[in-house]
Amino acid sequence: MFHKAEQRADWEPPGGRAAWQDIRMDSVGDTLQRLRETFSAGRTRPAEFRATQLEGLGRFLRDNKQLLQEALARDLRKGTQLDRAFIRKEPFGLVLIIVPWNYPLNLTLVPLVGALAAGNCVVLKPSEISKNMEQVLAEVLPRYLDQSCFAMVLGGPEETGQLLEHRFDYIFFTGSPRVGRIVMTAAAKHLTPVTLELGGKNPCYVDDNCDPETVANRVAFFRYFNTGQTCVAPDYVLCSPEMQERLLPALQSTIARFFGEDPRSSPNLGRIINDKHFQRLQGLLGCGRVAIGGQSDQSDRYIAPTVLVDVQETEPVMQEEIFGPILPIVNVRSLDEAIDFINRREKPLALYAFSKSSEVVKQVLARTSSGGFCGNDGFMHVSLASLPFGGVGASGMGRYHGKFSFDTFSHHRACLLRSQGMEKVYSIRYPPYTPRNLRMLLVAMETRSCSCTLL
């Protein structure tokens, strides 16, 4: 059945050469735009649609078996073979972990546990911005680990840049998208795989049917936790003008209950990490109109828990991750408008939806994309070791936490093991091929539930 490769001038692709050439000459930009519009419309999401496409692939293989076999024979003189596989998880080798400043201990230990559990050697680069934790880690942590497989590098951006010039077997980075691009560029020089835990602007949709006090409690707690310096914190609220009028007094009351009438003196409200970030946040206070808070003191790096209203999408506070105790409210007239607002921006690290209607929450979940999602609460999903944590698109790539950390730092090695016995059975795969041998091969592979017989 498999003949010497030869040219067939009379062969035409299905639909004829003219149709094939029309597809090939189609504008790449137009084609990509068409596919993106299909995806945005949600056509590929239903399970029924996916099953239909897979069934179509199955029909493609069955209906065109002879055609495909002949094409493989002409291109590669390629025949058919049996296969089976299992996965062995192995350490990558030398791993680099770059830690941010906002949770300098937790975001050191969680990936470090996964890397060590998977059997890697580790280079740890703590953040120089959280300088006290950097000093403690540098002085104390090495005493507890085998120094033959663990090292720590200290310093700032210059030292990190020099570190990235070296070859690693895996790089795990947590930080901003801007620095994430630098890390990924450096990794690409060595084709080093990466996990990038980045950030972004995490939307929080609030439906009109919500109890404003409940929403205020939960949104304020997660927005102002760690003074807003949390990558998965709600970054802005989307709600109707009517809901905003009900939500503002509830937020005012909640903030006073959490932090007192003078939040600056509260032991439960932290400070901004340094002057650079304080000045950046102070600049954002000029966006929209301050409805709650707005006070600041550079000498103490203090910014009060703040709520902004009348915010425009084009203002700086809506163009960058806030990473501070500032909560803008953006008005939308409907759920559809809120979803459109979310979908025309970069995919966030987290997305939150508040509603008494489970159907509304499910719609937000089904019609958007984000690293993680939580209905009627804040970032509690991050605390569950049974769930992976990670971004999508501009908010990152890869995932970790719990077993997912072990998997991230492991190479999933595909393996085949076979004994030297049963050679008479396996001999049917060897050339020369006869119709009888091919029929036996196909029957054997179909019995093993293998739909692809052309490998």
Side-chain angles (χ1 to χ4, degrees):
M1 179 170 291
F2 297 96
H3 308 287
K4 181 178 180 180
E6 59 183 74
Q7 298 294 325
R8 284 183 53 185
D10 61 333
W11 182 84
E12 286 194 0
R17 290 186 182 276
W20 193 39
Q21 289 169 353
D22 286 343
I23 295 173
R24 293 178 62 186
M25 294 173 63
D26 191 13
S27 165
V28 173
D30 291 345
T31 299
L32 296 181
Q33 179 63 25
R34 172 174 57 80
L35 295 175
R36 287 190 184 280
E37 289 174 356
T38 299
F39 181 79
S40 297
R43 185 177 178 189
T44 63
R45 291 182 182 268
E48 296 81 1
F49 177 87
R50 306 182 199 190
T52 299
Q53 303 311 298
L54 295 177
E55 290 167 1
L57 283 178
R59 291 196 306 273
F60 162 75
L61 291 173
R62 292 191 299 271
D63 296 349
N64 299 280
K65 185 180 298 184
Q66 179 72 20
L67 180 66
L68 294 169
Q69 288 176 336
E70 290 179 357
L72 281 171
R74 286 193 300 271
D75 287 340
L76 301 168
R77 303 184 186 181
K78 190 174 180 70
T80 307
Q81 67 182 33
L82 294 171
D83 67 322
R84 66 182 180 87
F86 67 93
I87 298 172
R88 174 184 169 90
K89 296 180 180 179
E90 299 181 342
F92 278 104
L94 180 58
V95 167
L96 171 62
I97 299 175
I98 303 176
V99 182
W101 54 262
N102 59 324
Y103 291 90
L105 180 59
N106 178 272
L107 295 180
T108 292
L109 296 180
V110 175
L112 181 58
V113 166
L116 294 176
N120 297 283
C121 292
V122 178
V123 173
L124 182 68
K125 170 59 182 71
S127 173
E128 77 284 359
I129 295 176
S130 49
K131 54 188 178 182
N132 294 295
M133 181 57 69
E134 177 192 41
Q135 181 179 352
V136 171
L137 289 173
E139 293 178 358
V140 180
L141 181 57
R143 303 175 193 170
Y144 295 84
L145 297 173
D146 188 330
Q147 296 304 290
S148 68
C149 65
F150 174 80
M152 192 176 301
V153 175
L154 307 181
E158 182 178 351
E159 289 77 12
T160 303
Q162 294 172 355
L163 188 60
L164 287 170
E165 293 176 1
H166 296 273
R167 180 172 190 150
F168 292 91
D169 299 304
Y170 201 94
I171 297 177
F172 187 100
F173 169 80
T174 304
S176 70
R178 180 186 65 81
V179 180
R181 290 183 176 91
I182 296 173
V183 171
M184 193 169 182
T185 299
K189 295 178 181 178
H190 303 292
L191 297 179
T192 298
V194 297
T195 288
L196 302 179
E197 296 294 347
L198 308 178
K201 298 190 70 63
N202 306 314
C204 178
Y205 173 70
V206 180
D207 197 7
D208 281 348
N209 65 15
C210 289
D211 172 59
E213 284 74 25
T214 298
V215 173
N217 286 340
R218 298 181 186 186
V219 170
F221 174 72
F222 288 102
R223 170 69 270 186
Y224 304 121
F225 187 85
N226 198 34
T227 327
Q229 298 168 117
T230 305
C231 61
V232 286
D235 196 88
Y236 61 94
V237 167
L238 292 170
C239 68
S240 69
E242 294 76 18
M243 187 66 214
Q244 176 180 301
E245 291 304 309
R246 299 165 55 209
L247 187 58
L248 281 174
L251 283 168
Q252 180 79 68
S253 175
T254 296
I255 290 170
R257 189 170 71 255
F258 284 1
F259 307 111
E261 294 300 327
D262 179 20
R264 180 174 179 174
S265 62
S266 171
N268 300 307
L269 185 69
R271 296 299 185 264
I272 306 305
I273 185 67
N274 58 24
D275 289 336
K276 177 182 176 181
H277 284 281
F278 174 87
Q279 292 166 5
R280 177 185 62 81
L281 290 167
Q282 194 172 44
L284 298 181
L285 292 174
C287 298
R289 174 174 62 85
V290 174
I292 299 172
Q295 301 84 5
S296 64
D297 182 352
Q298 185 168 357
S299 66
D300 193 28
R301 300 197 305 277
Y302 165 76
I303 293 181
T306 298
V307 177
L308 302 177
V309 296
D310 301 334
V311 174
Q312 302 302 311
E313 185 178 358
T314 56
E315 292 188 89
V317 76
M318 293 303 297
Q319 300 302 309
E320 62 182 70
E321 183 179 7
I322 295 172
F323 229 64
I326 302 171
L327 180 66
I329 298 180
V330 177
N331 290 150
V332 291
R333 291 289 180 179
S334 66
L335 173 62
D336 288 342
E337 185 179 337
I339 290 174
D340 288 343
F341 187 96
I342 293 168
N343 286 340
R344 67 173 177 259
R345 306 170 73 87
E346 296 285 7
K347 295 179 180 180
L349 184 57
L351 197 159
Y352 307 100
F354 285 80
S355 177
K356 289 183 178 179
S357 168
S358 61
E359 288 305 312
V360 169
V361 174
K362 289 177 182 177
Q363 275 204 59
V364 178
L365 175 60
R367 296 169 59 189
T368 61
S369 177
S370 62
F373 179 90
C374 190
N376 292 312
D377 207 2
F379 48 81
M380 289 306 297
H381 61 287
V382 176
S383 68
L384 300 177
S386 58
L387 292 178
F389 173 67
V392 59
S395 60
M397 61 184 69
R399 59 204 55 81
Y400 72 125
H401 283 193
K403 179 181 179 295
F404 301 99
S405 296
F406 179 87
D407 288 341
T408 285
F409 288 104
S410 300
H411 166 57
H412 294 210
R413 187 180 184 185
C415 302
L416 174 70
L417 293 181
R418 180 166 289 165
S419 72
Q420 293 189 22
M422 300 181 66
E423 183 62 12
K424 287 186 178 180
V425 174
Y426 290 128
S427 66
I428 65 173
R429 62 188 174 175
Y430 305 142
Y433 297 105
T434 66
R436 177 179 178 275
N437 284 1
L438 284 174
R439 283 196 301 271
M440 293 177 67
L441 279 172
L442 295 177
V443 169
M445 297 191 78
E446 288 170 1
T447 301
R448 292 158 57 108
S449 301
C450 178
S451 61
C452 181
T453 62
L454 303 172
L455 298 176

